[in-house]
Amino acid sequence: MKQLTVVIRAEFSIPDDWKLLKHPSGLQALQVGEHFVSFDLVPFVTKSRDSNAEWKDAEEGVVEGIMDMVVTADAQLVVGTQH
C-alpha cells in the first residue's frame, strides 16, 4: 500500500472579535459569536471529466471509503496580527 500526504494551507483575514480557544472537547477552535469553528479534511468527488464538473462531498460510499483510509489528521490554527 502507498502513502498519500495532503497539505492544505489557507489564510483568512478575520475580525478582531473572533477568538482562538481550546474547546472543552479538546479541539482548537475559533469562537465566532456563539459558534465554535474547527477545520477538517473533506474530500470532494466527481465522475465527470468535464472542465465544469460538479464536485460533491456526499458521493455515497466513496467519501466514506476514502475517509476510512485516513491514518492521521491534524489542523493547526494560528492567529496573528496584520501590520
Side-chain angles (χ1 to χ4, degrees), residues 42-74:
V42 177
F44 294 97
V45 179
T46 188
K47 290 182 181 177
S48 174
R49 292 182 178 264
D50 185 45
S51 63
N52 295 320
E54 183 178 343
W55 292 82
K56 299 179 182 180
D57 65 351
E59 186 69 28
E60 188 164 327
V62 176
V63 171
E64 292 84 1
I66 292 168
M67 293 306 292
D68 285 346
M69 300 301 230
V70 175
V71 176
T72 63
D74 183 38

Side-chain angles (χ1 to χ4, degrees), residues 11-24:
E11 292 185 14
F12 297 74
S13 291
I14 62 172
D16 290 336
D17 63 338
W18 290 14
K19 295 178 177 71
L20 183 61
L21 54 81
K22 186 154 192 154
H23 187 269

Side-chain angles (χ1 to χ4, degrees), residues 14-24 27-39 77 79:
I14 62 172
D16 290 336
D17 63 338
W18 290 14
K19 295 178 177 71
L20 183 61
L21 54 81
K22 186 154 192 154
H23 187 269
L27 288 177
Q28 188 179 26
L30 285 174
Q31 184 172 6
V32 180
E34 62 185 42
H35 296 91
F36 300 97
V37 179
S38 189
F39 295 86
L77 305 180
V79 173

